[in-house]
RNA sequence: GGAGCCUUAGCUCAAUUGGUUAGAGCGCCGCCCUGUCACGGCGGAGGUUGCGGGUUCGAGCCCCGUAGGCUCCGCCA
């Protein structure tokens, strides 16, 4: 037996007990005579005191201990010398006086200090097994475990059944780029790793499972981001005979249970609901961060007849004029204006007009073009006061909204409004909401075809079904929804198409040929013809959820062994070359120009 | 595919306008130290300033290129 207790288990009441502890040497303080060791395991720290007068031989050994050596000590629990208690430690009133020391393993010189903030992620990833010993990361992994456990417990209690679906799956044309796996037994053919268990879970509905869930690994071969990894985990849910309201309340209950169980946080339910149109109009984003204000204001009607050509041109072309009012921002610097203008251009605006209100004056390159009536409209609609800074966008609705939405986020960042909100009124720390009624289809100029905004199995809203026959594709709304937390999309789902005729219509709209429909989706279409119940569901990004719960800014910090920016695992050095014989077995030859 | 920021000792960082032998703290090695908890003291080792080129009497610093890291855009049904 290596230990009788953990390093965060013993208290005053245990004084006098003979115990054995095992763990890592966190720090050693060697006074030449007496030696203090903070012994660390995953639960915490316990001070171990080696005294020559107690046991000269053991004390002598202890001189050689270095950080991260793995040891086992046996001794008695003692009260600390009065006045030397450490209130910073849970075990700070006591210490262990060992009569035996076993060195289980030595540690080399360490790649970086374990108790400091390390920004060199490259280095951390190379020695990830060591990096993960750091308390913050080990806490994150345990939060993640509790989230998964709470999810399973909640869904189990609701009658949901966890079912695994294949990892070796089939490539489909829509959506993200697939990871391919060559088949040895069928040379020249490939499996694909699932981007999501979407089709399988729908087929489980046809199978009569009625309530399915899975904590599912998903794979997408796309470029990485702080919140995007090539493999990630979804809480995947699907149910039969449900409406969106059923999915909303199930998800709300589940998230409340997760936050309560994993982090003792009370989540207010039900969540607010916004339509896609409303979210984009008011916040310039389909995943609005509502922890601060700065809502977009529509000024189109006030400038319909304006002499200011930039606004007039946008309106005459069917666009809009919108603005945001940023309080206490009139002190904006030239550099910041330039930066915001740059952002505006990246997202499609021709420029970024602004008005600073300083010394009761409207300072702006454009205000001279405005009539008195237009100024009055601005004054009342934007509630302009001293110190405000107004930004304008005049463009197509989508572009004007997105530009101001991005400016809004950047300005909030500059003003540190997220931080203020988090410290401010309780309840605003965790702002959940539903965004619903997304468009069903989106025109891709690049591919010269209509694409599914969500996926091709998403159900159009019943009210909009006629628009599908009329081929008014841009106007069709989907029975689809996202759940958003603090401006981060943490999940999304939809009601699915369960009628084979409607699914065929949808494929037709998407330009999937009759041949492809059979070869790629034949199994699904056949299944729909065999008594498929109405069904729908949702998938939540487990990594992002845990990231937010842990207060982290990257999902890498809540994954044990993530990949870097370029999809490399610096610890194992993967991806890597393979033995040519493996390629031969698979009938694969590498093209020279790719090497 | 594109943009931005970054790269100096094992780690975190410094180095004035381009100017002597590139420094400090932590870590490491050695010695000392009996109540510390970021223990303390003395000494020591450790550097191709990411790499390549250029300008210059002289480059860590300026210029060009390149590699790597991170963030973002595109991409992510």
């Amino acid at each position: 037996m290596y230990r009788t207790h953990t390093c965060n288990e013993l208290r005053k009441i245990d004084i006098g007990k003979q115990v054995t502890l095992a763990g890592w040497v966190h720090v050693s303080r060697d006074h030449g005579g007496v030696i203090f060791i903070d012994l660390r395991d995953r639960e915490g720290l316990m001070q171990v005191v080696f005294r020559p007068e107690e046991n000269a031989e053991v004390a002598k050994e202890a001189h050689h201990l270095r950080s991260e050596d793995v040891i086992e000590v046996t001794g008695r629990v003692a009260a600390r010398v009065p006045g030397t208690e450490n209130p910073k430690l849970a075990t700070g009133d006591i210490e262990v006086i060992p009569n035996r020391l076993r060195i289980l393993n030595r540690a080399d010189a360490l790649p970086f200090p374990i108790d400091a903030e390390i920004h060199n992620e490259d280095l951390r990833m190379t020695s990830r097994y060591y990096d993960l010993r750091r308390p913050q990361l080990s806490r994150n992994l345990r939060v993640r475990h509790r989230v998964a456990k709470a999810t399973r417990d909640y869904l189990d209690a609701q009658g949901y059944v966890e079912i695994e679906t294949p990892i070796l799956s089939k490539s489909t044309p829509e959506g993200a780029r697939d990871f391919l796996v060559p088949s040895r037994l069928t040379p020249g053919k490939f499996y694909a790793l699932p981007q999501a268990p979407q089709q399988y879970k729908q087929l489980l509905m046809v199978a009569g499972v009625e309530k399915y869930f899975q904590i599912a690994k998903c794979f997408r071969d796309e470029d990485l981001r702080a919140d995007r990894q090539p493999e990630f985990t979804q809480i995947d849910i699907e149910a039969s005979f449900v409406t969106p309201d059923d999915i909303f309340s199930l998800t709300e209950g589940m998230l409340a249970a997760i936050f309560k169980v994993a982090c003792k946080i009370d989540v207010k339910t039900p969540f607010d609901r916004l339509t896609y149109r409303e979210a984009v109009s008011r916040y310039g984003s389909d995943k609005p961060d509502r922890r601060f204000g700065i809502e977009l204001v529509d000024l189109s009607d006030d400038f319909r007849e304006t002499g200011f050509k930039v606004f007039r041109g946008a309106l005459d072309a069917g666009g809009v004029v919108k603005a945001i009012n940023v309080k206490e921002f009139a002190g904006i610097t030239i550099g910041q204006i330039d930066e915001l203008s740059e952002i505006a251009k990246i997202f499609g605006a021709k420029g970024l007009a602004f008005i600073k209100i300083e010394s009761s004056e409207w300072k702006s390159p454009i205000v001279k073009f405005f009539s008195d009536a237009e100024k009055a409209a601005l004054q009342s609609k934007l509630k302009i006061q001293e110190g405000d800074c107004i930004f304008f966008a005049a463009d197509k609705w989508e572009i004007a909204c997105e530009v101001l939405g991005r400016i809004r986020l950047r300005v909030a960042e500059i003003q540190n409004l997220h931080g203020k909100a988090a410290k401010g009124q309780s309840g605003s720390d965790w702002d959940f909401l539903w965004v619903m009624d997304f468009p069903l289809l989106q025109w891709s100029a690049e591919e010269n075809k209509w694409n599914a905004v969500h996926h091709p199995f998403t159900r159009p809203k019943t009210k909009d079904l006629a628009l599908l026959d009329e081929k008014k594709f841009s106007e069709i709304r989907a029975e689809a929804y996202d759940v958003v937390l603090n401006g981060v999309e943490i999940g999304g789902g939809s009601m699915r198409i369960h009628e084979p005729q409607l699914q065929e219509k949808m494929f037709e709209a998407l330009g999937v040929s009759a041949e492809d429909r059979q070869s790629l989706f034949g199994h699904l279409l056949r299944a729909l013809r065999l008594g498929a119940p109405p069904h729908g569901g949702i998938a939540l990004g487990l990594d992002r959820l845990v990231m937010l719960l842990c207060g982290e800014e990257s999902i890498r910090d809540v994954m044990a062994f993530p990949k870097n920016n370029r999809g490399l695992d610096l610890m194992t050095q993967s991806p890597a070359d393979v033995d040519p014989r493996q390629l031969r077995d698979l009938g694969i030859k590498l093209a020279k120009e790719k090497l």
Side-chain angles (χ1 to χ4, degrees):
Chain A
M1 185 169 63
Y2 284 104
R3 58 181 169 190
T4 56
H5 298 79
T6 72
C7 292
N8 193 14
E9 200 176 343
L10 297 165
R11 295 292 183 270
K12 262 186 193 163
I13 197 170
D14 300 298
I15 288 170
K17 276 186 189 162
Q18 193 72 12
V19 299
T20 300
L21 302 177
W24 289 264
V25 174
H26 191 62
V27 271
S28 77
R29 295 177 291 276
D30 186 340
H31 288 239
V34 66
I35 301 156
F36 300 95
I37 299 285
D38 287 341
L39 187 65
R40 186 194 75 235
D41 64 15
R42 66 174 209 184
E43 305 300 336
L45 293 174
M46 168 63 87
Q47 174 162 281
V48 179
V49 185
F50 295 92
R51 279 196 297 232
E53 62 270 27
E54 293 269 350
N55 192 321
E57 207 169 313
V58 168
K60 199 180 161 198
E61 273 281 289
H63 282 300
H64 300 113
L65 291 174
R66 293 291 173 269
S67 288
E68 300 306 310
D69 285 343
V70 184
I71 62 171
E72 179 197 316
V73 292
T74 302
R76 67 167 204 280
V77 180
R80 291 201 182 182
V81 174
T84 67
E85 299 88 352
N86 184 351
K88 283 189 260 176
L89 288 184
T91 58
D93 290 329
I94 53 169
E95 57 199 19
V96 168
I97 316 285
N99 51 42
R100 199 173 75 107
L101 165 66
R102 238 174 104 199
I103 293 171
L104 302 176
N105 212 345
R106 294 274 190 193
D108 281 350
L110 304 170
F112 50 87
I114 206 166
D115 51 356
E117 185 110 344
I118 302 291
H119 299 284
N120 188 340
E121 209 173 336
D122 207 5
L123 182 78
R124 286 175 47 202
M125 288 305 168
T126 307
S127 304
R128 185 63 163 176
Y129 37 80
Y130 171 63
D131 190 33
L132 289 173
R133 274 182 214 163
R134 298 162 67 222
Q136 186 172 334
L137 287 185
S138 90
R139 179 209 66 177
N140 291 355
L141 293 182
R142 293 172 82 176
V143 168
R144 187 180 175 118
H145 160 75
R146 290 203 304 270
V147 168
K149 169 98 165 64
T151 300
R152 289 197 164 96
D153 289 346
Y154 178 83
L155 290 173
D156 174 65
Q158 302 294 315
Y160 281 74
V161 182
E162 184 167 17
I163 300 174
E164 291 162 276
T165 54
I167 294 295
L168 294 177
S169 179
K170 184 179 175 179
S171 181
T172 50
E174 300 261 347
R177 196 175 292 111
D178 285 315
F179 281 101
L180 297 178
V181 180
S183 162
R184 179 181 56 85
L185 295 173
T186 319
K189 309 265 188 197
F190 293 84
Y191 301 100
L193 304 183
Q195 297 174 25
Q198 184 58 37
Q199 292 190 48
Y200 291 112
K201 71 174 174 178
Q202 290 190 236
L203 293 166
L204 285 170
M205 293 304 105
V206 182
V209 168
E210 294 195 23
K211 293 177 173 183
Y212 145 95
F213 85 100
Q214 180 178 194
I215 296 185
K217 265 291 176 80
C218 305
F219 306 86
R220 293 176 192 177
D221 188 7
E222 296 292 346
D223 287 1
L224 291 83
R225 288 280 194 285
D227 62 352
R228 272 164 38 189
Q229 285 271 308
E231 54 179 308
F232 61 100
T233 304
Q234 283 188 344
I235 301 169
D236 195 44
I237 297 172
E238 194 80 4
S240 299
F241 310 114
V242 290
T243 62
D245 281 339
D246 294 320
I247 298 296
F248 289 175
S249 58
L250 176 81
T251 306
E252 286 160 358
M254 182 178 76
L255 283 168
I258 288 171
F259 274 63
K260 188 72 183 170
V261 172
C263 293
K264 299 190 170 62
I265 294 167
D266 288 306
V267 168
K268 190 179 134 269
T269 59
F271 305 159
D272 290 345
R273 298 179 190 184
L274 285 180
T275 64
Y276 166 83
R277 186 89 201 164
E278 210 180 338
V280 174
S281 283
R282 289 174 58 189
Y283 301 98
S285 169
D286 62 359
K287 44 179 198 291
D289 189 340
R290 303 188 305 171
R291 289 172 299 169
F292 52 93
I294 321 183
E295 289 195 29
L296 279 57
V297 175
D298 194 297
L299 302 165
S300 304
D301 289 340
D302 305 295
F303 284 95
R304 206 63 76 188
E305 306 297 331
T306 187
F308 182 40
K309 281 184 191 156
V310 174
F311 286 7
R312 186 64 182 267
L315 289 167
D316 288 351
V320 297
V321 173
K322 307 198 73 146
I324 53 174
N325 181 355
V326 185
K327 296 285 168 190
E328 292 166 44
F329 206 54
I332 185 171
T333 64
I334 301 285
Q336 286 169 331
I337 296 257
D338 287 347
E339 187 202 336
L340 294 176
S341 300
E342 198 51 44
I343 292 174
K345 278 180 195 154
I346 289 171
F347 292 97
K350 284 154 205 91
L352 183 68
F354 63 91
I355 304 174
K356 298 194 283 187
I357 292 81
E358 265 180 325
S359 325
S360 312
E361 235 182 290
W362 288 21
K363 296 183 179 167
S364 163
I366 60 162
V367 80
K368 60 181 176 236
F369 300 113
F370 294 167
S371 69
D372 287 344
E374 286 161 359
K375 284 185 211 167
L378 287 180
Q379 174 67 49
S380 82
K381 278 204 176 167
L382 289 163
K383 300 183 178 62
I384 292 175
Q385 293 175 323
E386 176 70 18
D388 292 357
C389 188
I390 317 294
F391 295 99
F392 295 89
D395 218 307
K396 283 190 292 191
W397 178 78
E398 290 86 354
I399 291 177
C401 291
E402 172 156 38
V403 164
L404 288 182
R406 296 283 179 163
I407 299 294
R408 174 179 179 270
L409 287 177
R410 180 61 191 135
V411 162
E413 207 177 344
I414 294 170
Q415 293 192 319
N416 196 26
L417 292 178
H418 314 78
K420 271 188 202 163
K423 278 181 215 141
Q425 59 278 47
S426 63
S428 72
D429 302 9
W430 303 101
D431 178 45
F432 287 92
L433 80 146
W434 291 103
V435 177
M436 42 200 279
D437 296 357
F438 278 84
L440 182 73
L441 298 165
Q442 189 174 35
W443 177 254
S444 164
E446 204 176 301
E447 297 167 85
N448 198 37
K449 68 190 268 297
W450 289 93
N451 281 335
V453 168
H454 189 50
H455 57 55
F457 319 113
T458 303
R459 190 172 188 75
K461 283 187 89 84
T462 309
K463 278 185 189 164
D464 294 355
L465 275 174
L467 296 168
L468 188 57
D469 294 319
E470 295 163 33
K471 302 215 185 311
K472 291 182 178 165
F473 293 146
S474 66
E475 293 171 36
I476 309 170
R477 289 166 303 165
E479 202 73 270
Y481 34 79
D482 279 356
V483 57
V484 175
L485 171 55
N486 294 352
V488 177
E489 178 198 329
I490 57 167
S494 64
M495 294 295 114
R496 327 297 184 188
I497 298 168
H498 62 274
E499 309 92 319
Q501 304 80 3
L502 184 56
Q503 186 65 67
E504 291 272 13
K505 255 190 231 174
M506 184 71 180
F507 283 140
E508 199 183 315
L510 291 168
V512 181
S513 70
E515 200 177 306
D516 281 355
R517 274 178 236 173
Q518 274 319 304
S519 68
L520 297 170
F521 302 107
H523 54 285
L524 185 76
L525 290 168
R526 279 192 298 282
L528 294 185
R529 275 190 225 103
L530 219 57
H535 61 284
I538 191 167
L540 289 99
L542 179 78
D543 313 280
R544 288 183 188 176
L545 194 56
V546 178
M547 173 184 84
L548 293 170
L549 269 169
C550 291
E552 297 287 1
E553 289 187 347
S554 165
I555 61 171
R556 292 189 296 270
D557 289 326
V558 298
M559 302 176 105
F561 299 106
K563 310 271 188 291
N564 78 356
N565 223 357
R566 292 198 299 151
L568 309 178
D569 176 346
L570 296 173
M571 184 182 70
T572 64
Q573 298 281 303
S574 81
D577 291 326
V578 294
D579 192 306
R581 279 174 300 186
Q582 290 175 280
L583 291 179
R584 203 183 54 209
D585 281 352
L586 296 166
I588 288 179
K589 253 190 200 149
L590 297 179
K592 282 205 179 76
E593 63 268 24
K594 280 279 180 193
L595 299 175

